[in-house]
Amino acid sequence: MLRSLFAGVSGLRNNQVRMDVIGNNIANVNTVAFKAGRVTFKEGFAQLLQGASRPPGDQGGINPIQIGLGMQIGSIDQIFNQGNLETTGLNTDVAIQGDSFFVVRKGNQSFYTRAGNFQVDALGQLVSPANGFIVQGRMYDNGLPLDGIQDIKLPFGQKVSARPTTEAKLAGNLNASAPVFQGNFSDPLVRADPINERAWTETQIGVFDSQGTKHDVKLQMWKTGPNTWDWRIDPIASAQRFEVETDGDSPPSDVLLPVPPAGYGILPANVRVYSTTGVEYVSPADFSFSAGPPPAVQFTSTMPSNSMIRVGYFMSPTGTLPTGENGGTFTFDQAGILNTNVTASLNFAVPGANPVRIDLQLGGGVNGLTQFASTSSTAVLRDQNGYTAGTLQNFSIDRFGLITGFFTNGTTNPLARIVLADFNNPSGLLRIGDNMLQESANSGSGVLGFALEGSQSQLTSGALEMSNVDLAQEFTNMIVAQRGFQANGKVVSTSDELLQELMQVKR
């Protein structure tokens, strides 16, 4: 009779444990990346009343006679099924799709979590907001990965150095039906002649020197034959301007030109003087600085007194340049395809910076520079590879865990990559609170890797993994646990009544 009493008590105790697990699951139904628990029971000890016997020759065998002594907790499992994803829009929120874990660290101790609701702290470190543990990954320096796994620190305020333009792509179409240019192309009046309007074209692109200063380069092309087009840099587009303040109270009649800096050549009709309002007060003229002091500009119209004017020196190469630099000829075959032996480069000096040399990538076939009887596209300079200096402004995280920084100069650079850990037995991990897990003797060691590279998991930025608790299942389990508890309670009360009857037998 005492056996049934203790069996009922074990049922009460262990069904209460099941209710504890169910209650914890329901409490964490909205906890980020929470994994539900599950209780399984096992039979307790059994008392052997009579052992089994072998079958003798003339009759059958006898089975053992046992009485169970109740039940016990078999296991409390963590169910690591994938939770649904919830979109948050925050770029520091990251969800794992797969079986991996984020790695976070406190000092030299590593912990693991599925909760990707990270934040950036005052030092730029990517941390778990629950406890400040730092997310681990591989850092990058100037776009190159560093060795080892370390704390992820986003370098806000980091600058990326300027990169001079060394290449620019020239593509598009030059109209094969255009007439041949007539006259001197350097004369702007000749270029404006209606006869020549269709015989030339120009394209402009901003390029950068070694200090990150932007220069507008304009490339002009004009047809010189059935399958040939000459090209050059337009010196007006490549101007370096200096401000000069005039003195006196009366309108200036002339101004002394400053000596052009080293590396600037002077071509005919390449010096112009403007007021600060942009009005031109002198006609283009040719000035020579080969000997003597800089000449004075005679004004052809009235300027305001004591005004600021701008003097423009236009960048043009000094000395003799190799063929194909700053000017040359594009030759096309009968099919309108550019001669593959043609090369083109831009080369000009910049005060205070390294000379700029840009190789034009002319492409090949119909995807490069062509000459077809079509005006649907124009030859354009594009895809230059230079940029000015910039400062880290924002970042994003892709499905590979790569954190890419966006800089104010429009460039991007990898900053870090989040590392993931996989376990042979994730259910063996120890829960330590704060959505954190720790290795145990039966979880195995974490195998580190990156999303879709060493790990089959992938990441989703701007989203969080939700709890995988199924409320319908939990409520069903609650009913089962309640009925089990009530049934075992009935066993205890019935056993108690039997004991009372036994106590009354002596009366």
Side-chain angles (χ1 to χ4, degrees):
M1 203 170 302
L2 290 177
R3 286 191 295 259
S4 64
L5 184 63
F6 286 118
V9 170
S10 70
L12 289 174
R13 181 187 301 116
N14 294 321
N15 273 286
Q16 178 60 55
V17 172
R18 186 178 188 183
M19 269 302 303
D20 293 340
V21 173
I22 293 171
N24 183 61
N25 289 343
I26 294 175
N28 286 280
V29 69
N30 291 318
T31 300
V32 177
F34 177 79
K35 299 303 177 184
R38 180 191 66 184
V39 178
T40 61
F41 297 135
K42 66 178 181 180
E43 184 184 9
F45 297 108
Q47 180 181 358
L48 182 64
L49 299 181
Q50 177 178 316
S53 62
R54 288 179 175 274
D58 56 349
Q59 64 185 46
I62 298 175
N63 292 328
I65 298 175
Q66 294 177 284
I67 297 178
L69 300 179
M71 49 90 80
Q72 297 176 345
I73 299 295
S75 66
I76 301 178
D77 306 315
Q78 298 182 72
I79 309 301
F80 280 94
N81 293 338
Q82 175 74 47
N84 295 326
L85 301 189
E86 175 188 12
T87 301
T88 65
L90 297 177
N91 61 348
T92 52
D93 287 344
V94 189
I96 299 177
Q97 296 187 69
D99 300 327
S100 303
F101 297 83
F102 297 112
V103 183
V104 296
R105 186 170 293 173
K106 177 186 177 183
N108 294 324
Q109 192 172 9
S110 293
F111 301 90
Y112 308 92
T113 183
R114 295 276 300 188
N117 54 323
F118 302 131
Q119 293 179 355
V120 179
D121 68 6
L123 299 179
Q125 300 172 126
L126 195 63
V127 300
S128 169
N131 46 31
F133 293 177
I134 305 173
V135 181
Q136 300 297 294
R138 174 174 290 168
M139 295 299 297
Y140 283 68
D141 183 24
N142 289 325
L144 299 176
L146 301 177
D147 292 334
I149 303 301
Q150 56 186 295
D151 298 347
I152 291 181
K153 185 174 182 179
L154 304 179
F156 285 104
Q158 172 184 307
K159 295 183 181 298
V160 60
S161 60
R163 176 179 179 178
T165 302
T166 58
E167 293 182 357
K169 186 175 182 180
L170 180 62
N173 185 65
L174 296 173
N175 191 0
S177 62
V180 174
F181 191 90
Q182 303 296 322
N184 180 12
F185 185 79
S186 297
D187 190 335
L189 296 178
V190 175
R191 293 200 299 272
D193 192 306
I195 299 176
N196 289 324
E197 281 185 346
R198 294 177 54 245
W200 70 284
T201 185
E202 65 183 12
T203 180
Q204 183 171 313
I205 189 173
V207 298
F208 298 89
D209 62 27
S210 58
Q211 294 182 344
T213 302
K214 185 179 180 180
H215 304 273
D216 290 328
V217 173
K218 186 181 292 184
L219 192 68
Q220 295 176 326
M221 292 160 282
W222 64 99
K223 193 172 184 180
T224 56
N227 292 314
T228 59
W229 291 69
D230 281 0
W231 65 274
R232 72 168 190 179
I233 296 178
D234 177 14
I236 297 176
S238 312
Q240 179 72 21
R241 293 181 173 87
F242 304 89
E243 291 189 347
V244 179
E245 186 173 3
T246 61
D247 54 2
D249 297 328
S250 59
S253 58
D254 61 6
V255 63
L256 197 65
L257 288 179
V259 178
Y264 282 80
I266 300 300
L267 295 177
N270 74 338
V271 176
R272 289 178 172 83
V273 179
Y274 302 87
S275 74
T276 51
T277 60
V279 179
E280 185 173 349
Y281 286 90
V282 294
S283 300
D286 179 16
F287 298 93
S288 173
F289 293 90
S290 58
V297 175
Q298 299 294 324
F299 292 97
T300 57
S301 59
T302 303
M303 281 184 65
S305 61
N306 199 26
S307 61
M308 185 75 72
I309 65 172
R310 294 189 179 99
V311 180
Y313 291 104
F314 304 105
M315 291 181 286
S316 58
T318 56
T320 303
L321 289 171
T323 302
E325 291 196 1
N326 290 359
T329 302
F330 295 137
T331 303
F332 300 89
D333 62 18
Q334 299 296 327
I337 304 301
L338 184 67
N339 185 339
T340 56
N341 295 324
V342 173
T343 59
S345 298
L346 311 181
N347 192 335
F348 55 86
V350 179
N354 295 328
V356 177
R357 179 186 175 88
I358 304 170
D359 293 326
L360 296 182
Q361 304 299 315
L362 304 176
V366 295
N367 293 321
L369 187 63
T370 60
Q371 181 194 246
F372 298 137
S374 171
T375 58
S376 59
S377 62
T378 304
V380 292
L381 276 169
R382 62 186 183 190
D383 298 338
Q384 63 86 26
N385 63 348
Y387 45 80
T388 188
T391 304
L392 181 61
Q393 187 177 39
N394 205 347
F395 66 91
S396 68
I397 305 174
D398 65 13
R399 65 193 184 105
F400 302 99
L402 184 66
I403 304 176
T404 301
F406 297 90
F407 292 81
T408 54
N409 60 358
T411 62
T412 60
N413 252 346
L415 304 176
R417 191 173 183 186
I418 298 173
V419 72
L420 300 177
D422 289 282
F423 292 88
N424 290 334
N425 178 27
S427 294
L429 293 168
L430 291 174
R431 292 181 176 182
I432 61 170
D434 293 339
N435 290 333
M436 296 294 154
L437 301 164
Q438 195 174 23
E439 292 180 7
S440 75
N442 197 39
S443 66
S445 298
V447 179
L448 301 184
F450 299 101
L452 301 176
E453 183 183 318
S455 173
Q456 296 304 309
S457 301
Q458 66 179 15
L459 303 182
T460 300
S461 179
L464 291 176
E465 183 183 9
M466 300 171 65
S467 170
N468 68 350
V469 173
D470 183 345
L471 282 178
Q473 183 64 50
E474 296 303 324
F475 287 145
T476 302
N477 293 340
M478 187 187 302
I479 295 172
V480 173
Q482 180 184 11
R483 295 307 182 195
F485 190 92
Q486 290 174 339
N488 282 278
K490 190 64 175 177
V491 169
V492 172
S493 63
T494 302
S495 297
D496 179 59
E497 290 175 0
L498 293 175
L499 284 173
Q500 287 180 356
E501 289 295 327
L502 182 62
M503 295 295 293
Q504 293 176 0
V505 168
K506 67 179 182 177
R507 294 179 182 178

